[in-house]
Amino acid sequence: MPAPHTPSLLPGHPRRLLRDRLLPAVRTSSARRTTAQRAAEYYRARGITVLRVSVGVVYCWFGVLKLFPAGSPAEEIAAAAMTKLTGGLLPAAVSMPLLGTAETVIGLALITGLLLRPALILFFAHMAGVFTSLALLPGQMWHHGVPTLEGQYVLKNVILVAACLTVTADELTR
């Protein structure tokens, strides 16, 4: 049995001419598509690294701010949460530099990729404490069931958690 006939897509073929005249805006040059595809492939190969480094930069920034008194907009809420979490055993004068150092170390590990697994464990432990503050400090985190500005500041960390889950999954499959 002969093979089914497939229409030719040569430039002079009537179907192609009709398509080119009726849908000129739909056509995409093969060079542009190839460039976009190459860019996507380039990023796909490096996307996890870009994600890891960008979270690391943010974490370093937040950590370094906590190393300077009144440097972080989250200092009061972080100190209150640390005080609650430690039952008042850790004063703010100690907890802020400790927290800032831990965040900076996590950030540097994410940026460099060195000691990444221990840093990711520390990251998730830190995030557990951060999210615990939503329950420990309800008056500061919620107003009539809606997150306050401080609550929103904590809730935005869900993005960092999602990013680090992706980094962790990549790290564990190496």
PDB file of all heavy atoms in Angstrom, residues 1-19:
ATOM      1  N   MET A   1       0.857  -1.172   0.000  1.00  0.00           N
ATOM      2  CA  MET A   1       0.000   0.000   0.000  1.00  0.00           C
ATOM      3  C   MET A   1       0.900   1.232   0.000  1.00  0.00           C
ATOM      4  O   MET A   1       1.837   1.328   0.788  1.00  0.00           O
ATOM      5  CB  MET A   1      -0.887  -0.044   1.230  1.00  0.00           C
ATOM      6  CG  MET A   1      -1.755   1.161   1.386  1.00  0.00           C
ATOM      7  SD  MET A   1      -3.049   0.755   2.562  1.00  0.00           S
ATOM      8  CE  MET A   1      -4.397   1.429   1.697  1.00  0.00           C
ATOM      9  N   PRO A   2       0.634   2.213  -0.830  1.00  0.00           N
ATOM     10  CA  PRO A   2       1.481   3.404  -0.886  1.00  0.00           C
ATOM     11  C   PRO A   2       1.324   4.256   0.371  1.00  0.00           C
ATOM     12  O   PRO A   2       0.294   4.253   1.020  1.00  0.00           O
ATOM     13  CB  PRO A   2       0.993   4.154  -2.124  1.00  0.00           C
ATOM     14  CG  PRO A   2      -0.361   3.625  -2.411  1.00  0.00           C
ATOM     15  CD  PRO A   2      -0.436   2.238  -1.824  1.00  0.00           C
ATOM     16  N   ALA A   3       2.390   4.986   0.683  1.00  0.00           N
ATOM     17  CA  ALA A   3       2.390   5.865   1.862  1.00  0.00           C
ATOM     18  C   ALA A   3       1.394   6.998   1.651  1.00  0.00           C
ATOM     19  O   ALA A   3       1.191   7.447   0.527  1.00  0.00           O
ATOM     20  CB  ALA A   3       3.779   6.426   2.094  1.00  0.00           C
ATOM     21  N   PRO A   4       0.740   7.450   2.720  1.00  0.00           N
ATOM     22  CA  PRO A   4      -0.203   8.569   2.567  1.00  0.00           C
ATOM     23  C   PRO A   4       0.524   9.803   2.069  1.00  0.00           C
ATOM     24  O   PRO A   4       1.689  10.036   2.391  1.00  0.00           O
ATOM     25  CB  PRO A   4      -0.765   8.770   3.963  1.00  0.00           C
ATOM     26  CG  PRO A   4       0.095   8.014   4.894  1.00  0.00           C
ATOM     27  CD  PRO A   4       0.861   7.012   4.086  1.00  0.00           C
ATOM     28  N   HIS A   5      -0.182  10.573   1.278  1.00  0.00           N
ATOM     29  CA  HIS A   5       0.413  11.773   0.689  1.00  0.00           C
ATOM     30  C   HIS A   5       0.488  12.890   1.730  1.00  0.00           C
ATOM     31  O   HIS A   5      -0.494  13.211   2.382  1.00  0.00           O
ATOM     32  CB  HIS A   5      -0.426  12.228  -0.504  1.00  0.00           C
ATOM     33  CG  HIS A   5       0.077  13.500  -1.120  1.00  0.00           C
ATOM     34  ND1 HIS A   5       1.254  13.535  -1.815  1.00  0.00           N
ATOM     35  CD2 HIS A   5      -0.441  14.741  -1.124  1.00  0.00           C
ATOM     36  CE1 HIS A   5       1.445  14.798  -2.229  1.00  0.00           C
ATOM     37  NE2 HIS A   5       0.425  15.535  -1.827  1.00  0.00           N
ATOM     38  N   THR A   6       1.685  13.449   1.901  1.00  0.00           N
ATOM     39  CA  THR A   6       1.840  14.610   2.772  1.00  0.00           C
ATOM     40  C   THR A   6       2.151  15.798   1.902  1.00  0.00           C
ATOM     41  O   THR A   6       3.003  15.724   1.018  1.00  0.00           O
ATOM     42  CB  THR A   6       2.974  14.400   3.796  1.00  0.00           C
ATOM     43  OG1 THR A   6       4.149  13.991   3.111  1.00  0.00           O
ATOM     44  CG2 THR A   6       2.594  13.365   4.827  1.00  0.00           C
ATOM     45  N   PRO A   7       1.454  16.884   2.112  1.00  0.00           N
ATOM     46  CA  PRO A   7       1.667  18.055   1.250  1.00  0.00           C
ATOM     47  C   PRO A   7       3.065  18.625   1.454  1.00  0.00           C
ATOM     48  O   PRO A   7       3.617  18.617   2.542  1.00  0.00           O
ATOM     49  CB  PRO A   7       0.602  19.050   1.699  1.00  0.00           C
ATOM     50  CG  PRO A   7       0.156  18.582   3.040  1.00  0.00           C
ATOM     51  CD  PRO A   7       0.456  17.125   3.117  1.00  0.00           C
ATOM     52  N   SER A   8       3.604  19.112   0.406  1.00  0.00           N
ATOM     53  CA  SER A   8       4.923  19.711   0.438  1.00  0.00           C
ATOM     54  C   SER A   8       4.847  21.081   1.106  1.00  0.00           C
ATOM     55  O   SER A   8       3.897  21.826   0.907  1.00  0.00           O
ATOM     56  CB  SER A   8       5.442  19.864  -0.994  1.00  0.00           C
ATOM     57  OG  SER A   8       6.585  20.665  -0.995  1.00  0.00           O
ATOM     58  N   LEU A   9       5.848  21.397   1.895  1.00  0.00           N
ATOM     59  CA  LEU A   9       5.881  22.713   2.528  1.00  0.00           C
ATOM     60  C   LEU A   9       6.951  23.589   1.895  1.00  0.00           C
ATOM     61  O   LEU A   9       7.534  24.450   2.527  1.00  0.00           O
ATOM     62  CB  LEU A   9       6.133  22.568   4.032  1.00  0.00           C
ATOM     63  CG  LEU A   9       5.007  21.890   4.815  1.00  0.00           C
ATOM     64  CD1 LEU A   9       5.383  21.787   6.282  1.00  0.00           C
ATOM     65  CD2 LEU A   9       3.716  22.651   4.667  1.00  0.00           C
ATOM     66  N   LEU A  10       7.218  23.332   0.654  1.00  0.00           N
ATOM     67  CA  LEU A  10       8.173  24.160  -0.068  1.00  0.00           C
ATOM     68  C   LEU A  10       7.612  25.565  -0.209  1.00  0.00           C
ATOM     69  O   LEU A  10       6.395  25.761  -0.207  1.00  0.00           O
ATOM     70  CB  LEU A  10       8.464  23.555  -1.434  1.00  0.00           C
ATOM     71  CG  LEU A  10       9.131  22.170  -1.413  1.00  0.00           C
ATOM     72  CD1 LEU A  10       9.255  21.629  -2.822  1.00  0.00           C
ATOM     73  CD2 LEU A  10      10.480  22.247  -0.744  1.00  0.00           C
ATOM     74  N   PRO A  11       8.488  26.571  -0.330  1.00  0.00           N
ATOM     75  CA  PRO A  11       8.012  27.957  -0.376  1.00  0.00           C
ATOM     76  C   PRO A  11       6.928  28.227  -1.407  1.00  0.00           C
ATOM     77  O   PRO A  11       6.054  29.040  -1.193  1.00  0.00           O
ATOM     78  CB  PRO A  11       9.269  28.764  -0.676  1.00  0.00           C
ATOM     79  CG  PRO A  11      10.393  27.899  -0.216  1.00  0.00           C
ATOM     80  CD  PRO A  11       9.934  26.480  -0.380  1.00  0.00           C
ATOM     81  N   GLY A  12       6.940  27.523  -2.521  1.00  0.00           N
ATOM     82  CA  GLY A  12       5.963  27.802  -3.563  1.00  0.00           C
ATOM     83  C   GLY A  12       4.664  27.032  -3.416  1.00  0.00           C
ATOM     84  O   GLY A  12       3.766  27.180  -4.218  1.00  0.00           O
ATOM     85  N   HIS A  13       4.546  26.240  -2.399  1.00  0.00           N
ATOM     86  CA  HIS A  13       3.342  25.427  -2.230  1.00  0.00           C
ATOM     87  C   HIS A  13       2.161  26.326  -1.860  1.00  0.00           C
ATOM     88  O   HIS A  13       2.284  27.216  -1.018  1.00  0.00           O
ATOM     89  CB  HIS A  13       3.578  24.369  -1.141  1.00  0.00           C
ATOM     90  CG  HIS A  13       2.498  23.341  -1.088  1.00  0.00           C
ATOM     91  ND1 HIS A  13       1.366  23.498  -0.343  1.00  0.00           N
ATOM     92  CD2 HIS A  13       2.381  22.152  -1.724  1.00  0.00           C
ATOM     93  CE1 HIS A  13       0.590  22.447  -0.508  1.00  0.00           C
ATOM     94  NE2 HIS A  13       1.197  21.603  -1.341  1.00  0.00           N
ATOM     95  N   PRO A  14       0.988  26.067  -2.466  1.00  0.00           N
ATOM     96  CA  PRO A  14      -0.179  26.941  -2.232  1.00  0.00           C
ATOM     97  C   PRO A  14      -0.609  27.036  -0.772  1.00  0.00           C
ATOM     98  O   PRO A  14      -0.997  28.103  -0.325  1.00  0.00           O
ATOM     99  CB  PRO A  14      -1.278  26.304  -3.077  1.00  0.00           C
ATOM    100  CG  PRO A  14      -0.606  25.394  -4.031  1.00  0.00           C
ATOM    101  CD  PRO A  14       0.737  25.052  -3.464  1.00  0.00           C
ATOM    102  N   ARG A  15      -0.552  25.951  -0.015  1.00  0.00           N
ATOM    103  CA  ARG A  15      -0.974  26.021   1.392  1.00  0.00           C
ATOM    104  C   ARG A  15      -0.067  26.944   2.193  1.00  0.00           C
ATOM    105  O   ARG A  15      -0.528  27.688   3.045  1.00  0.00           O
ATOM    106  CB  ARG A  15      -0.976  24.636   2.029  1.00  0.00           C
ATOM    107  CG  ARG A  15      -2.141  23.817   1.633  1.00  0.00           C
ATOM    108  CD  ARG A  15      -2.198  22.571   2.465  1.00  0.00           C
ATOM    109  NE  ARG A  15      -3.314  21.757   2.035  1.00  0.00           N
ATOM    110  CZ  ARG A  15      -3.549  20.549   2.414  1.00  0.00           C
ATOM    111  NH1 ARG A  15      -2.734  19.978   3.272  1.00  0.00           N
ATOM    112  NH2 ARG A  15      -4.576  19.881   1.971  1.00  0.00           N
ATOM    113  N   ARG A  16       1.205  26.869   1.946  1.00  0.00           N
ATOM    114  CA  ARG A  16       2.139  27.725   2.681  1.00  0.00           C
ATOM    115  C   ARG A  16       1.919  29.192   2.303  1.00  0.00           C
ATOM    116  O   ARG A  16       1.945  30.069   3.161  1.00  0.00           O
ATOM    117  CB  ARG A  16       3.572  27.300   2.421  1.00  0.00           C
ATOM    118  CG  ARG A  16       4.539  28.166   3.178  1.00  0.00           C
ATOM    119  CD  ARG A  16       5.897  27.577   3.225  1.00  0.00           C
ATOM    120  NE  ARG A  16       6.744  28.493   3.948  1.00  0.00           N
ATOM    121  CZ  ARG A  16       7.619  28.129   4.832  1.00  0.00           C
ATOM    122  NH1 ARG A  16       7.784  26.867   5.092  1.00  0.00           N
ATOM    123  NH2 ARG A  16       8.352  29.011   5.442  1.00  0.00           N
ATOM    124  N   LEU A  17       1.717  29.468   1.024  1.00  0.00           N
ATOM    125  CA  LEU A  17       1.484  30.846   0.594  1.00  0.00           C
ATOM    126  C   LEU A  17       0.229  31.402   1.248  1.00  0.00           C
ATOM    127  O   LEU A  17       0.210  32.544   1.706  1.00  0.00           O
ATOM    128  CB  LEU A  17       1.364  30.922  -0.930  1.00  0.00           C
ATOM    129  CG  LEU A  17       2.658  30.694  -1.710  1.00  0.00           C
ATOM    130  CD1 LEU A  17       2.369  30.641  -3.206  1.00  0.00           C
ATOM    131  CD2 LEU A  17       3.661  31.778  -1.396  1.00  0.00           C
ATOM    132  N   LEU A  18      -0.826  30.613   1.299  1.00  0.00           N
ATOM    133  CA  LEU A  18      -2.068  31.041   1.920  1.00  0.00           C
ATOM    134  C   LEU A  18      -1.846  31.342   3.403  1.00  0.00           C
ATOM    135  O   LEU A  18      -2.263  32.378   3.906  1.00  0.00           O
ATOM    136  CB  LEU A  18      -3.138  29.960   1.737  1.00  0.00           C
ATOM    137  CG  LEU A  18      -4.507  30.265   2.327  1.00  0.00           C
ATOM    138  CD1 LEU A  18      -5.113  31.493   1.654  1.00  0.00           C
ATOM    139  CD2 LEU A  18      -5.420  29.065   2.175  1.00  0.00           C
ATOM    140  N   ARG A  19      -1.158  30.429   4.105  1.00  0.00           N
ATOM    141  CA  ARG A  19      -0.889  30.629   5.535  1.00  0.00           C
ATOM    142  C   ARG A  19      -0.043  31.888   5.761  1.00  0.00           C
ATOM    143  O   ARG A  19      -0.305  32.674   6.658  1.00  0.00           O
ATOM    144  CB  ARG A  19      -0.159  29.408   6.106  1.00  0.00           C
ATOM    145  CG  ARG A  19       0.023  29.511   7.613  1.00  0.00           C
ATOM    146  CD  ARG A  19       0.953  28.463   8.155  1.00  0.00           C
ATOM    147  NE  ARG A  19       2.289  28.762   7.682  1.00  0.00           N
ATOM    148  CZ  ARG A  19       3.240  27.845   7.492  1.00  0.00           C
ATOM    149  NH1 ARG A  19       3.010  26.594   7.719  1.00  0.00           N
ATOM    150  NH2 ARG A  19       4.436  28.204   7.070  1.00  0.00           N
TER     151      ARG A  19
END
